[in-house]
Amino acid sequence: MNTSGHAADAVRDDTGGLRLAPFRGLRYVPERVGSLAAVTSPPYDVVVRPDGLLELESADPYNIVRLILPQAISAGTRHRKAAVTLDRWLADGVLAPDPEPALYVYEQRGDGVLQRGVIGALELSAPAEGVVLPHEDVMPHVVEDRAALMRTTAANLEPLLLTYVGEDDGVDAVVERTVRREPLLATTTEDGFHHRLWAVTDPAEQATVAAELGHHQALIADGHHRWATYLRLRGEHVSPGPWNYGLVLLVDTARYPLRVRAIHRLLNRLPVAEALAALDGSFRVQRVDRPLPAALEALAAAAAGGNAFLLAGDGTFHLVDRPDPALLDRTVRADRPEAWRTLDATVLHSTLLEHVWAVPDAPEDISYIHDAAAAVDQAERRGGTAVLMHPVCEDVVRDLARQGVTMPRKSTSFGPKPATGLVLRSLALD
């Protein structure tokens, strides 16, 4: 990344912390689209397919989903289609680069939440360096798909969500001054969240942000597959350049705590009746004849006392808890910290999926869905089993990450997540 002359380059040579650089953001030209809200999307892995995908595609012909989830028969065709679409939108003036490199202050407000952070191009680092801490494993086929998309489009289409624990420092001061100015854009998305974006172009303010962040490490809250993709693509480009950086949103959770929610599993080929029969006394099973919100409350109460899951797909709910300790001893790795061994996601993958249900670890067998109601609906339509999960505490996530211990894939869902489509990064501009 050629950032010579940018404020961010003058900092962090001796700190070993985060290095955030400004970039020329690509943004929608408001006059060329129906509305900014109509062209945004949740992150690619949150879009519920196929219904949510079709809804986004029909919201506006320029919806960002056509870039992050292009539709075609083969993977190669999909990625080329996204690249062609991006080039056409740039040529037609639907998207345009900002005139000068900037860091971007981003605000989300809604559902009782106020979140503010800074968007920039973050210098990449391996997990062993302890600068950016992953906390979940990744699925190779997803990384391969995201890498092919980024490689073909030469763009970071959506920011990762990273958190750090800051103080009342220079970053906070810059953010607070910035939000008092007129924003570059403001929009309200269908979920009721209000979004505002500002550009920080003053070299002194950029230097302040860079200097303060240079003393911090960050936790990947959302975007493990995209971070792994960034690292893979960096490895393909030997000389320093734009592939050494990736688009991120950094949020100080000491000031703006995130919510942590669960990601649910959909076992596409395992009917509920077969799932329950296979338990065969290894877990306690209780039928829960209540609506989904009340059933999730029952799950939360059971999870307070140990591992618990809620199975759905046959028109009702089944609370599965109190696993046989001897079964756990046989199926869960003993060479990991106790906090990892007792995670619901660990017990689900190591004990239930691998040993009790023998469900292959393949995308055609297991889908990951963020919304509980959507998971239940799809399970009922497909004749499969939805496994509803209870969220893990953020402190546990951060503690394991600092120990270098990753959780099973898709163990957490931090939010609110940044809306996709408000600012993109073209590597051709760096």
Side-chain angles (χ1 to χ4, degrees):
M1 182 175 190
N2 181 13
T3 55
S4 57
H6 293 178
D9 272 347
V11 187
R12 209 223 63 163
D13 288 339
D14 59 348
T15 61
L18 299 166
R19 182 175 184 176
L20 193 69
F23 68 103
R24 291 180 64 195
L26 286 183
R27 295 189 296 109
Y28 280 99
V29 177
E31 295 77 16
R32 295 301 312 274
V33 299
S35 72
L36 289 174
V39 295
T40 63
S41 164
Y44 78 98
D45 58 338
V46 181
V47 175
V48 177
R49 287 166 268 188
D51 297 348
L53 180 62
L54 292 173
E55 181 179 344
L56 289 165
E57 286 182 328
S58 61
D60 190 283
Y62 299 116
N63 189 283
I64 193 68
V65 78
R66 286 181 165 79
L67 300 183
I68 63 171
L69 291 172
Q71 299 301 293
I73 295 175
S74 68
T77 305
R78 288 198 304 270
H79 304 139
R80 287 191 296 275
K81 182 178 180 181
V84 169
T85 300
L86 176 59
D87 289 343
R88 185 176 68 249
W89 289 359
L90 286 166
D92 293 346
V94 175
L95 290 168
D98 283 333
E100 57 185 319
L103 298 175
Y104 296 86
V105 171
Y106 175 48
E107 176 188 274
Q108 294 166 274
R109 187 190 297 267
D111 194 23
V113 174
L114 171 63
Q115 179 173 289
R116 289 172 178 154
V118 180
I119 295 175
L122 184 67
E123 184 180 51
L124 305 181
S125 59
E129 297 176 53
V131 177
V132 176
L133 305 175
H135 71 269
E136 289 183 354
D137 296 330
V138 297
M139 293 174 277
H141 74 278
V142 177
V143 175
E144 181 59 41
D145 178 74
R146 292 295 100 183
L149 179 63
M150 285 190 205
R151 191 184 297 116
T152 307
T153 59
N156 298 156
L157 300 173
E158 46 188 337
L160 280 65
L161 175 59
L162 306 186
T163 72
Y164 69 101
V165 180
E167 304 164 352
D168 290 330
D169 56 20
V171 177
D172 183 55
V174 169
V175 169
E176 292 305 313
R177 284 197 301 271
T178 301
V179 299
R180 291 197 290 267
R181 303 199 296 258
E182 190 70 19
L184 289 175
L185 63 85
T187 190
T188 301
T189 45
E190 191 177 51
D191 57 7
F193 269 82
H194 307 286
H195 307 262
R196 297 196 295 172
L197 189 77
W198 297 260
V200 177
T201 57
D202 180 77
E205 291 189 321
Q206 292 178 357
T208 296
V209 172
E212 296 289 353
L213 290 176
H215 301 294
H216 291 288
Q217 63 180 184
L219 175 73
I220 301 176
D222 185 68
H224 284 82
H225 290 88
R226 283 166 284 163
W227 183 258
T229 298
Y230 288 167
L231 293 176
R232 172 180 290 193
L233 295 176
R234 180 184 69 168
E236 297 175 4
H237 299 79
V238 178
S239 59
W243 297 96
N244 285 10
Y245 292 74
L247 185 63
V248 305
L249 165 64
L250 278 161
V251 174
D252 175 5
T253 51
R255 186 167 180 82
Y256 301 106
L258 270 65
R259 291 178 173 175
V260 187
R261 294 192 167 120
I263 301 177
H264 311 291
R265 275 65 170 161
L266 173 58
L267 311 182
N268 295 299
R269 302 179 181 182
L270 181 68
V272 174
E274 292 183 19
L276 293 173
L279 293 175
D280 191 28
S282 58
F283 286 73
R284 184 179 69 169
V285 178
Q286 301 177 83
R287 186 178 172 120
V288 182
D289 290 317
R290 303 183 215 169
L292 177 59
L296 290 173
E297 289 177 2
L299 173 62
N307 301 118
F309 312 93
L310 199 64
L311 306 190
D314 62 351
T316 189
F317 299 101
H318 307 270
L319 181 63
V320 175
D321 67 351
R322 298 188 184 179
D324 176 7
L327 175 64
L328 298 184
D329 287 341
R330 292 196 308 271
T331 56
V332 177
R333 291 175 55 171
D335 61 345
R336 295 290 183 94
E338 182 68 11
W340 182 90
R341 299 184 75 251
T342 55
L343 288 169
D344 285 341
T346 298
V347 172
L348 173 62
H349 283 265
S350 298
T351 303
L352 285 170
L353 294 177
E354 185 173 346
H355 290 276
V356 175
W357 291 330
V359 174
D361 186 7
E364 57 269 24
D365 289 283
I366 307 175
S367 301
Y368 296 84
I369 301 178
H370 289 70
D371 183 74
V376 173
D377 177 66
Q378 291 199 31
E380 291 179 348
R381 283 193 288 170
R382 299 181 187 181
T385 297
V387 183
L388 306 186
M389 310 279 287
H390 186 69
V392 65
C393 174
E394 180 180 355
D395 289 342
V396 172
V397 175
R398 193 176 296 276
D399 182 58
L400 287 172
R402 284 175 173 158
Q403 295 179 60
V405 178
T406 54
M407 301 164 63
R409 63 196 63 166
K410 300 292 184 182
S411 293
T412 61
S413 175
F414 283 84
K417 303 178 191 301
T420 297
L422 297 182
V423 60
L424 291 64
R425 174 178 174 252
S426 169
L427 281 74
L429 294 174
D430 289 343

